[in-house]
Amino acid sequence: MAQTKKGEKVRYKLHVKKGDTVQVISGKDKGKVGEILRAIPEESQVVVQGVNIRTKHVKPQQEGESGRIITFEAPIHSSNVMHYSTKQNVASRICYTFNEAGKKVRKLKKTGEIIDK
């Protein structure tokens, strides 16, 4: 984890937020589309639904309980994902613009679709 000279944690600005629909653009899950379940700005990583699935073998905790295998989504780096338009099925970068109320919103460059509600 990145830290400054005084030991403080560094928080990176991510281009994606929790709830955004993204497409994986590199790695073993390239091309998969999913929703962001969790963002980790300290490590510049995100957890995407259905991407980077890992299995974990869990030992029994109590007497008489059986062990089990858990599957979960592991984090991937935020630079490996790109915003995705479900209406036109295309990945795009984002730009910032203002809506009628004067609020700053995120917009997909390729489609002009506004991401923020």
Side-chain angles (χ1 to χ4, degrees), residues 8 11 19 23 39-40 52 55-56 60 74 77 89 97-98 102 105 109 116:
E8 303 149 356
R11 287 177 56 98
Q23 182 177 28
I40 310 166
N52 200 16
T55 58
K56 183 175 184 178
H77 200 269
N89 296 333
T97 185
F98 294 94
V105 292
K109 280 193 171 188
D116 296 329

Side-chain angles (χ1 to χ4, degrees), residues 43-78:
E43 299 173 9
S44 191
Q45 292 187 328
V46 291
V47 176
V48 183
Q49 184 177 12
V51 173
N52 200 16
I53 301 293
R54 301 282 183 213
T55 58
K56 183 175 184 178
H57 296 259
V58 179
K59 287 186 176 182
Q61 296 297 316
Q62 296 175 350
E63 187 106 10
E65 188 181 64
S66 62
R68 57 191 193 279
I69 299 173
I70 299 175
T71 59
F72 63 97
E73 292 98 354
I76 60 172
H77 200 269
S78 63

Side-chain angles (χ1 to χ4, degrees), residues 2 5 8 16 26-27 31 35 41-42 45-46 48 52-53 58 60 77 87 90-91 93 99 102 107-108 112 117:
K5 291 181 182 177
E8 303 149 356
V16 289
S26 68
E35 183 181 329
E42 295 86 14
Q45 292 187 328
V46 291
V48 183
N52 200 16
I53 301 293
V58 179
H77 200 269
K87 294 177 184 172
V90 65
R93 291 185 309 218
N99 62 6
K107 180 174 87 169
L108 294 177
K117 272 65 174 180

Side-chain angles (χ1 to χ4, degrees), residues 79-98:
S79 66
N80 294 337
V81 297
M82 192 176 213
H83 281 87
Y84 187 77
S85 171
T86 53
K87 294 177 184 172
Q88 298 193 9
N89 296 333
V90 65
S92 174
R93 291 185 309 218
I94 61 166
C95 62
Y96 295 93
T97 185
F98 294 94

Side-chain angles (χ1 to χ4, degrees), residues 24-38:
V24 180
I25 58 172
S26 68
K28 67 178 178 126
D29 292 318
K30 181 178 180 177
K32 287 189 180 178
V33 177
E35 183 181 329
I36 293 189
L37 302 174
R38 190 168 56 119

